């Protein structure tokens, strides 16, 4: 019997309990032993809940109990999660977490402690919800140099953009709906400003380059400025707007970015809708691969956490090597990245052509008093210079 403690009895923590109960037998068979929840740490009491008697309010009870071999961190946020997880690892207890903020900030250090202790720090659920992506990168795609990793990594914003696309709604109307469905983080800023996707692409980039990528250095734009008018233009172009988190290997290192992009129908992520996430990976010998599935929500995320528990149970006193050192990786300057840009301006076609040269004008039905166009391929820096010259830019979205 492997005894575990769960930190946080919110959406994910209670989901883990549900998964362990629902698939008790098959999980035990695959783990080689039964997994039993001994404690759940939460500030609240849960009168009437079947797990009521397992609730504790003092983390020391868990940290000091030698019977606890694994800790599930499902609290979210950096503190006190970091302090508790570090304490657990130093006490010889393996940890699995769904907490991307924790992993992005302290992943390298926690991985190193787990290695020294011959135990494990796993974090499959921190990126892509229920989609297996961390384990594939760490165990299956190890013969490749990963040249690109581009994902729809935030379920909330993908749900919102899908709803804006299919129903022609404005941003504010769809945000409330996403929150009521439990997709958005408690503070939706993390989702809609791209911070959540930024931490996730920082984790994936750290894994593929084997070094620490600081999320603070990743250029990040959210979806708060996307309007129903932009969606009308996208439709006129036969494209969709998606929030992409992308990381590409260039001669100057990895270039990472989070921003809304206009995707053509040929793009592998074009059809990824609603709360689904997908991650496109290009390896130098593998070529292309895609990982698709439920990117957020209670049970999909809990499924990934429970799968980590099985993996930990199979390697109780043996560390699974994760190549992610604390040595910092400097990212390539995103301003040198090249793209085409879709632009809306209150200037006329003549001014546009004078500044940007050859462009493709987009004229959706019912839009008047402005000019929409797509530039030729240029660097971010060149675009910024030309945009400053043109003035009166209403919108700018990268085209891929
Ligand atoms: N709020 C996150 C999302 C949850 O919408 O993707 C999963 O990390």
């Amino acid at each position: 019997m492997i005894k575990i403690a769960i930190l946080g009895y919110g959406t994910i923590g209670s989901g883990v309990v549900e998964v362990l109960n629902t698939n008790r037998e098959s999980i035990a068979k695959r783990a080689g032993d039964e997994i039993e929840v001994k404690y759940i740490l939460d500030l609240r009491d849960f009168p009437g809940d079947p797990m009521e008697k397992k609730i504790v309010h003092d983390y020391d009870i868990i940290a000091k109990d030698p019977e606890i071999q694994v800790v599930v961190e499902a609290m979210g946020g950096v503190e006190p999660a970091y302090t508790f997880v570090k304490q657990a690892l130093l006490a010889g207890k393996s940890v699995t977490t769904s907490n991307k903020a924790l992993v992005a900030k302290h992943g390298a250090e926690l991985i190193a402690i787990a290695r020294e202790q011959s135990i494990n720090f796993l974090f499959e659920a921190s990126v892509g919800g229920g989609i297996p992506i961390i384990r594939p990168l760490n165990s299956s795609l190890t013969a490749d140099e990963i040249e690109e990793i581009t994902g729809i990594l935030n379920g909330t914003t993908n749900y919102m953009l899908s709803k804006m696309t299919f129903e022609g709604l404005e941003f504010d109307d769809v945000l409330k709906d996403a929150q009521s469905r439990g997709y958005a983080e408690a503070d939706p800023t993390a989702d809609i400003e791209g911070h959540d996707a930024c931490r996730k692409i920082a984790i994936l980039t750290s894994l593929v380059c084997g070094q620490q990528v600081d999320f603070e250095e990743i250029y990040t734009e959210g979806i708060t400025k996307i309007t129903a008018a932009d969606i009308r233009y996208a439709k006129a172009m036969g494209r969709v707007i998606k929030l992409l988190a992308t990381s590409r290997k260039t001669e100057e290192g990895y270039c990472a970015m989070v921003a809304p992009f206009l995707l053509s129908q040929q793009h592998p992520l074009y059809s990824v809708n609603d709360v689904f996430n997908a991650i496109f990976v290009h390896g130098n010998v593998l070529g292309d691969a895609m990982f698709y599935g439920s990117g957020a929500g209670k049970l999909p995320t809990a499924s990934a956490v429970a799968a980590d528990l099985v993996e930990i149970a199979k390697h109780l006193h043996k560390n699974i090597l994760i190549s992610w050192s604390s040595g910092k990786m400097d990212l390539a300057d995103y301003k040198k990245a090249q793209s085409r840009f879709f632009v809306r301006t209150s200037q006329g076609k003549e001014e546009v052509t004078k500044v940007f040269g050859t462009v493709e004008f987009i004229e959706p039905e019912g839009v008047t008093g402005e000019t929409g166009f797509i530039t030729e391929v240029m660097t971010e820096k060149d675009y910024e210079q030309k945009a400053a010259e043109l003035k009166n830019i209403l919108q700018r979205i990268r085209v891929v």
Side-chain angles (χ1 to χ4, degrees):
M1 177 87 73
I2 297 169
K3 300 208 173 172
I4 71 165
I6 299 176
L7 313 186
Y9 199 39
T11 307
I12 310 303
S14 61
V16 172
V17 170
E18 192 174 332
V19 169
L20 292 176
N21 284 337
T22 306
N23 293 335
R24 177 167 296 280
E25 278 178 30
S26 57
I27 287 174
K29 213 181 274 176
R30 290 174 187 142
D33 205 344
E34 276 189 40
I35 296 173
E36 189 194 278
V37 178
K38 185 170 179 184
Y39 304 113
I40 298 173
L41 180 78
D42 205 288
L43 292 170
R44 302 160 293 180
D45 290 307
F46 291 86
D49 188 283
M51 303 302 276
E52 182 185 358
K53 293 211 167 66
K54 309 208 174 198
I55 300 283
V56 294
H57 304 301
D58 178 3
Y59 180 62
D60 269 0
I61 296 170
I62 294 166
K64 290 186 179 147
D65 186 337
E67 267 196 351
I68 296 295
Q69 291 181 287
V70 191
V71 169
V72 173
E73 189 280 304
M75 306 169 76
V78 175
E79 281 295 357
Y82 168 64
T83 303
F84 289 173
V85 166
K86 190 168 172 179
Q87 206 177 331
L89 291 170
L90 289 170
K93 304 176 194 305
S94 286
V95 173
T96 163
T97 180
S98 58
N99 185 339
K100 58 239 140 191
L102 172 70
V103 179
K105 192 154 180 62
H106 296 292
E109 183 196 0
L110 298 171
I111 286 166
I113 297 174
R115 184 138 191 88
E116 280 157 21
Q117 299 279 344
S118 296
I119 52 173
N120 288 291
F121 173 68
L122 300 184
F123 44 91
E124 183 60 67
S126 65
V127 180
I131 306 172
I133 182 63
I134 304 291
R135 216 161 351 265
L137 284 178
N138 198 47
S139 323
S140 316
L141 303 177
T142 44
D144 271 74
E145 288 294 324
I146 304 299
E147 294 177 334
E148 180 183 346
I149 187 153
T150 296
I152 293 175
L153 296 180
N154 184 268
T156 305
T157 47
N158 202 40
Y159 175 81
M160 290 173 65
L161 290 171
S162 301
K163 212 155 166 73
M164 286 174 79
T165 299
F166 296 135
E167 298 177 26
L169 298 173
E170 282 292 356
F171 178 86
D172 288 340
D173 300 322
V174 295
L175 175 60
K176 282 197 190 78
D177 182 53
Q179 283 177 299
S180 72
R181 289 169 191 266
Y183 299 151
E185 298 290 301
D187 176 0
T189 316
D191 295 301
I192 61 182
E193 295 290 4
H195 304 160
D196 177 82
C198 170
R199 279 152 183 79
K200 291 169 177 168
I201 196 68
I203 293 170
L204 296 181
T205 311
S206 297
L207 279 173
V208 301
C209 75
Q211 284 175 263
Q212 175 66 23
V213 171
D214 287 344
F215 64 85
E216 294 94 338
E217 291 180 9
I218 297 177
Y219 174 79
T220 299
E221 259 178 53
I223 66 160
T224 51
K225 296 194 180 97
I226 302 294
T227 64
D230 298 326
I231 303 280
R232 279 203 293 281
Y233 273 100
K235 284 188 177 159
M237 293 178 235
R239 292 176 179 268
V240 287
I241 302 174
K242 298 284 181 195
L243 183 69
L244 298 187
T246 181
S247 193
R248 279 170 194 267
K249 199 174 182 186
T250 70
E251 281 176 8
E252 292 170 18
Y254 280 89
C255 181
M257 178 187 287
V258 176
F261 281 79
L262 277 152
L263 274 54
S264 74
Q265 282 182 29
Q266 286 71 44
H267 195 284
L269 299 171
Y270 176 90
S271 305
V272 178
N273 288 317
D274 300 317
V275 75
F276 286 98
N277 281 192
I279 302 128
F280 166 84
V281 179
H282 181 87
N284 67 336
V285 284
L286 163 80
D288 296 345
M290 272 274 281
F291 299 82
Y292 172 86
S294 301
K298 179 175 174 168
L299 291 180
T301 310
S303 156
V305 174
D308 273 354
L309 283 171
V310 171
E311 202 63 8
I312 288 171
K314 283 158 66 177
H315 301 87
L316 261 188
H317 304 290
K318 183 171 174 9
N319 178 258
I320 302 162
L321 179 65
I322 299 176
S323 164
W324 176 349
S325 77
S326 56
K328 191 175 155 224
M329 226 259 322
D330 289 324
L331 292 172
D333 181 5
Y334 85 94
K335 289 207 174 177
K336 292 186 184 162
Q338 292 200 323
S339 178
R340 294 172 78 203
F341 295 85
F342 163 67
V343 184
R344 287 170 52 208
T345 173
S346 52
Q347 302 275 33
K349 283 184 180 176
E350 208 173 300
E351 287 89 346
V352 167
T353 312
K354 212 166 102 194
V355 175
F356 278 92
T358 310
V359 298
E360 182 188 336
F361 289 106
I362 313 290
E363 294 169 292
E365 263 180 52
V367 178
T368 52
E370 60 176 72
T371 310
F373 64 97
I374 301 179
T375 68
E376 296 202 305
V377 174
M378 62 181 67
T379 63
E380 296 273 339
K381 194 173 168 206
D382 284 347
Y383 167 78
E384 279 176 19
Q385 276 167 0
K386 287 182 194 297
E389 207 180 314
L390 181 66
K391 299 190 187 78
N392 301 322
I393 303 285
L394 306 172
Q395 179 59 288
R396 179 272 281 119
I397 306 174
R398 295 164 185 88
V399 176
V400 67

PDB file of all heavy atoms in Angstrom, residues 150-164:
ATOM      1  N   THR A 150       4.799  24.248 -30.672  1.00  0.00           N
ATOM      2  CA  THR A 150       3.789  25.302 -30.740  1.00  0.00           C
ATOM      3  C   THR A 150       2.469  24.736 -30.262  1.00  0.00           C
ATOM      4  O   THR A 150       2.024  23.701 -30.761  1.00  0.00           O
ATOM      5  CB  THR A 150       3.629  25.806 -32.192  1.00  0.00           C
ATOM      6  OG1 THR A 150       4.849  26.402 -32.608  1.00  0.00           O
ATOM      7  CG2 THR A 150       2.519  26.841 -32.305  1.00  0.00           C
ATOM      8  N   GLY A 151       1.864  25.404 -29.304  1.00  0.00           N
ATOM      9  CA  GLY A 151       0.644  24.823 -28.768  1.00  0.00           C
ATOM     10  C   GLY A 151      -0.467  25.817 -28.515  1.00  0.00           C
ATOM     11  O   GLY A 151      -0.235  27.024 -28.367  1.00  0.00           O
ATOM     12  N   ILE A 152      -1.666  25.278 -28.506  1.00  0.00           N
ATOM     13  CA  ILE A 152      -2.802  25.969 -27.895  1.00  0.00           C
ATOM     14  C   ILE A 152      -2.807  25.401 -26.486  1.00  0.00           C
ATOM     15  O   ILE A 152      -3.182  24.245 -26.274  1.00  0.00           O
ATOM     16  CB  ILE A 152      -4.100  25.678 -28.666  1.00  0.00           C
ATOM     17  CG1 ILE A 152      -4.019  26.316 -30.051  1.00  0.00           C
ATOM     18  CG2 ILE A 152      -5.312  26.191 -27.874  1.00  0.00           C
ATOM     19  CD1 ILE A 152      -5.188  26.014 -30.955  1.00  0.00           C
ATOM     20  N   LEU A 153      -2.320  26.195 -25.532  1.00  0.00           N
ATOM     21  CA  LEU A 153      -2.023  25.659 -24.204  1.00  0.00           C
ATOM     22  C   LEU A 153      -2.955  26.192 -23.133  1.00  0.00           C
ATOM     23  O   LEU A 153      -2.760  25.908 -21.959  1.00  0.00           O
ATOM     24  CB  LEU A 153      -0.576  25.990 -23.815  1.00  0.00           C
ATOM     25  CG  LEU A 153       0.519  25.363 -24.684  1.00  0.00           C
ATOM     26  CD1 LEU A 153       1.891  25.784 -24.192  1.00  0.00           C
ATOM     27  CD2 LEU A 153       0.410  23.854 -24.678  1.00  0.00           C
ATOM     28  N   ASN A 154      -3.935  26.980 -23.543  1.00  0.00           N
ATOM     29  CA  ASN A 154      -4.868  27.511 -22.549  1.00  0.00           C
ATOM     30  C   ASN A 154      -6.301  27.234 -22.992  1.00  0.00           C
ATOM     31  O   ASN A 154      -6.747  27.742 -24.025  1.00  0.00           O
ATOM     32  CB  ASN A 154      -4.625  29.013 -22.344  1.00  0.00           C
ATOM     33  CG  ASN A 154      -5.517  29.561 -21.253  1.00  0.00           C
ATOM     34  OD1 ASN A 154      -6.614  30.047 -21.516  1.00  0.00           O
ATOM     35  ND2 ASN A 154      -5.095  29.457 -20.006  1.00  0.00           N
ATOM     36  N   GLY A 155      -6.983  26.409 -22.205  1.00  0.00           N
ATOM     37  CA  GLY A 155      -8.335  25.981 -22.553  1.00  0.00           C
ATOM     38  C   GLY A 155      -9.333  27.126 -22.506  1.00  0.00           C
ATOM     39  O   GLY A 155     -10.218  27.239 -23.362  1.00  0.00           O
ATOM     40  N   THR A 156      -9.181  27.982 -21.492  1.00  0.00           N
ATOM     41  CA  THR A 156     -10.135  29.084 -21.315  1.00  0.00           C
ATOM     42  C   THR A 156     -10.168  29.995 -22.531  1.00  0.00           C
ATOM     43  O   THR A 156     -11.234  30.295 -23.079  1.00  0.00           O
ATOM     44  CB  THR A 156      -9.736  29.915 -20.074  1.00  0.00           C
ATOM     45  OG1 THR A 156      -9.653  29.037 -18.963  1.00  0.00           O
ATOM     46  CG2 THR A 156     -10.729  31.014 -19.796  1.00  0.00           C
ATOM     47  N   THR A 157      -8.989  30.445 -22.960  1.00  0.00           N
ATOM     48  CA  THR A 157      -8.949  31.383 -24.083  1.00  0.00           C
ATOM     49  C   THR A 157      -9.335  30.700 -25.387  1.00  0.00           C
ATOM     50  O   THR A 157      -9.925  31.334 -26.262  1.00  0.00           O
ATOM     51  CB  THR A 157      -7.553  32.034 -24.205  1.00  0.00           C
ATOM     52  OG1 THR A 157      -6.573  30.998 -24.103  1.00  0.00           O
ATOM     53  CG2 THR A 157      -7.336  33.067 -23.142  1.00  0.00           C
ATOM     54  N   ASN A 158      -9.012  29.406 -25.504  1.00  0.00           N
ATOM     55  CA  ASN A 158      -9.412  28.716 -26.738  1.00  0.00           C
ATOM     56  C   ASN A 158     -10.929  28.579 -26.795  1.00  0.00           C
ATOM     57  O   ASN A 158     -11.550  28.758 -27.844  1.00  0.00           O
ATOM     58  CB  ASN A 158      -8.741  27.345 -26.839  1.00  0.00           C
ATOM     59  CG  ASN A 158      -8.687  26.872 -28.270  1.00  0.00           C
ATOM     60  OD1 ASN A 158      -8.425  27.656 -29.186  1.00  0.00           O
ATOM     61  ND2 ASN A 158      -8.991  25.608 -28.487  1.00  0.00           N
ATOM     62  N   TYR A 159     -11.514  28.310 -25.631  1.00  0.00           N
ATOM     63  CA  TYR A 159     -12.981  28.249 -25.540  1.00  0.00           C
ATOM     64  C   TYR A 159     -13.571  29.609 -25.921  1.00  0.00           C
ATOM     65  O   TYR A 159     -14.523  29.702 -26.704  1.00  0.00           O
ATOM     66  CB  TYR A 159     -13.381  27.861 -24.109  1.00  0.00           C
ATOM     67  CG  TYR A 159     -14.867  27.899 -23.874  1.00  0.00           C
ATOM     68  CD1 TYR A 159     -15.678  26.832 -24.266  1.00  0.00           C
ATOM     69  CD2 TYR A 159     -15.467  29.011 -23.281  1.00  0.00           C
ATOM     70  CE1 TYR A 159     -17.049  26.876 -24.073  1.00  0.00           C
ATOM     71  CE2 TYR A 159     -16.829  29.059 -23.087  1.00  0.00           C
ATOM     72  CZ  TYR A 159     -17.614  27.993 -23.480  1.00  0.00           C
ATOM     73  OH  TYR A 159     -18.974  28.041 -23.296  1.00  0.00           O
ATOM     74  N   MET A 160     -12.982  30.675 -25.382  1.00  0.00           N
ATOM     75  CA  MET A 160     -13.515  32.018 -25.636  1.00  0.00           C
ATOM     76  C   MET A 160     -13.385  32.399 -27.113  1.00  0.00           C
ATOM     77  O   MET A 160     -14.337  32.904 -27.717  1.00  0.00           O
ATOM     78  CB  MET A 160     -12.782  33.043 -24.761  1.00  0.00           C
ATOM     79  CG  MET A 160     -13.125  32.908 -23.280  1.00  0.00           C
ATOM     80  SD  MET A 160     -12.120  33.986 -22.246  1.00  0.00           S
ATOM     81  CE  MET A 160     -12.672  35.582 -22.795  1.00  0.00           C
ATOM     82  N   LEU A 161     -12.224  32.155 -27.693  1.00  0.00           N
ATOM     83  CA  LEU A 161     -12.028  32.507 -29.107  1.00  0.00           C
ATOM     84  C   LEU A 161     -12.928  31.666 -30.009  1.00  0.00           C
ATOM     85  O   LEU A 161     -13.449  32.146 -31.021  1.00  0.00           O
ATOM     86  CB  LEU A 161     -10.554  32.325 -29.509  1.00  0.00           C
ATOM     87  CG  LEU A 161      -9.572  33.343 -28.906  1.00  0.00           C
ATOM     88  CD1 LEU A 161      -8.127  32.934 -29.184  1.00  0.00           C
ATOM     89  CD2 LEU A 161      -9.839  34.750 -29.444  1.00  0.00           C
ATOM     90  N   SER A 162     -13.134  30.395 -29.635  1.00  0.00           N
ATOM     91  CA  SER A 162     -14.029  29.530 -30.432  1.00  0.00           C
ATOM     92  C   SER A 162     -15.446  30.088 -30.390  1.00  0.00           C
ATOM     93  O   SER A 162     -16.134  30.171 -31.401  1.00  0.00           O
ATOM     94  CB  SER A 162     -14.041  28.094 -29.879  1.00  0.00           C
ATOM     95  OG  SER A 162     -12.753  27.557 -29.885  1.00  0.00           O
ATOM     96  N   LYS A 163     -15.866  30.489 -29.192  1.00  0.00           N
ATOM     97  CA  LYS A 163     -17.227  31.012 -29.030  1.00  0.00           C
ATOM     98  C   LYS A 163     -17.388  32.346 -29.781  1.00  0.00           C
ATOM     99  O   LYS A 163     -18.428  32.589 -30.398  1.00  0.00           O
ATOM    100  CB  LYS A 163     -17.524  31.196 -27.538  1.00  0.00           C
ATOM    101  CG  LYS A 163     -18.980  30.975 -27.209  1.00  0.00           C
ATOM    102  CD  LYS A 163     -19.193  30.552 -25.784  1.00  0.00           C
ATOM    103  CE  LYS A 163     -20.656  30.676 -25.403  1.00  0.00           C
ATOM    104  NZ  LYS A 163     -21.537  29.668 -25.983  1.00  0.00           N
ATOM    105  N   MET A 164     -16.359  33.170 -29.738  1.00  0.00           N
ATOM    106  CA  MET A 164     -16.411  34.432 -30.496  1.00  0.00           C
ATOM    107  C   MET A 164     -16.502  34.128 -31.996  1.00  0.00           C
ATOM    108  O   MET A 164     -17.218  34.802 -32.737  1.00  0.00           O
ATOM    109  CB  MET A 164     -15.157  35.288 -30.215  1.00  0.00           C
ATOM    110  CG  MET A 164     -15.166  35.936 -28.834  1.00  0.00           C
ATOM    111  SD  MET A 164     -13.617  36.790 -28.435  1.00  0.00           S
ATOM    112  CE  MET A 164     -13.821  38.325 -29.342  1.00  0.00           C
TER     113      MET A 164
END
